[in-house]
């Protein structure tokens, strides 16, 4: 019988409360870039860290999407193509929005 061996690793928090997940942890959890991590805070104050696996779906969103699908099938005459003016309206709403998913969080976002 093999003895179970606990591996330990540590990392340091930056001034912005960010850290690098140590290599042994990334390997144990099979983490890659852009993967998500789930933290579970135990009653004794310890924290369980595991790979985040997306749930099957949001039941409210699933019901809404089902409603839309049924409604589109029942009333196809209500469907309208996206017009050029609608596209221009959307484009103007997001024209100045700059999103960098790799950027560090601002102080306001922490």
């Amino acid at each position: 019988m093999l003895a179970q061996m606990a591996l330990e690793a540590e990392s340091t928090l930056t001034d912005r409360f960010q850290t690098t997940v140590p290599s042994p942890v990334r390997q144990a959890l099979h983490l890659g870039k852009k993967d998500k991590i789930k933290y579970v805070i135990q009653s004794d104050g310890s924290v369980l860290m595991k790979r985040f696996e997306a749930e099957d779906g949001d039941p409210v969103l699933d019901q809404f999407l089902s409603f839309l699908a049924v409604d589109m099938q029942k009333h196809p005459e209500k469907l309208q193509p996206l017009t050029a003016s609608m596209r221009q309206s959307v484009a103007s709403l997001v024209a100045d929005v700059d999103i960098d998913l790799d950027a560090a969080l601002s102080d306001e976002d922490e």
Side-chain angles (χ1 to χ4, degrees):
M1 178 177 204
L2 294 174
Q4 291 186 2
M5 188 170 96
L7 296 175
E8 293 186 7
E10 63 183 50
S11 64
T12 303
L13 287 174
T14 67
D15 292 336
R16 297 168 91 51
F17 296 100
Q18 296 174 334
T19 189
T20 299
V21 178
S23 179
V25 176
R26 290 193 312 265
Q27 291 172 1
L29 297 178
H30 306 289
L31 293 172
K33 291 182 180 182
K34 305 292 182 184
D35 283 344
K36 293 187 177 192
I37 300 169
K38 181 176 184 176
Y39 299 92
V40 181
I41 302 170
Q42 305 291 320
S43 59
D44 66 356
S46 63
V47 178
L48 174 65
M49 179 176 150
K50 56 187 176 179
R51 180 188 179 97
F52 176 80
E53 299 292 342
E55 296 179 14
D56 291 337
D58 180 339
V60 175
L61 181 59
D62 291 344
Q63 287 180 345
F64 178 68
L65 293 175
S66 295
F67 164 77
L68 288 179
V70 169
D71 191 56
M72 289 189 298
Q73 289 175 344
K74 286 183 179 178
H75 305 286
E77 71 279 2
K78 293 183 179 181
L79 295 176
Q80 299 177 15
L82 189 63
T83 65
S85 66
M86 288 174 161
R87 284 192 297 275
Q88 289 172 351
S89 294
V90 171
S92 69
L93 290 172
V94 298
D96 296 328
V97 177
D98 185 27
I99 297 175
D100 181 359
L101 297 176
D102 294 321
L105 294 174
S106 69
D107 288 336
E108 295 172 0
D109 293 332
E110 294 187 46

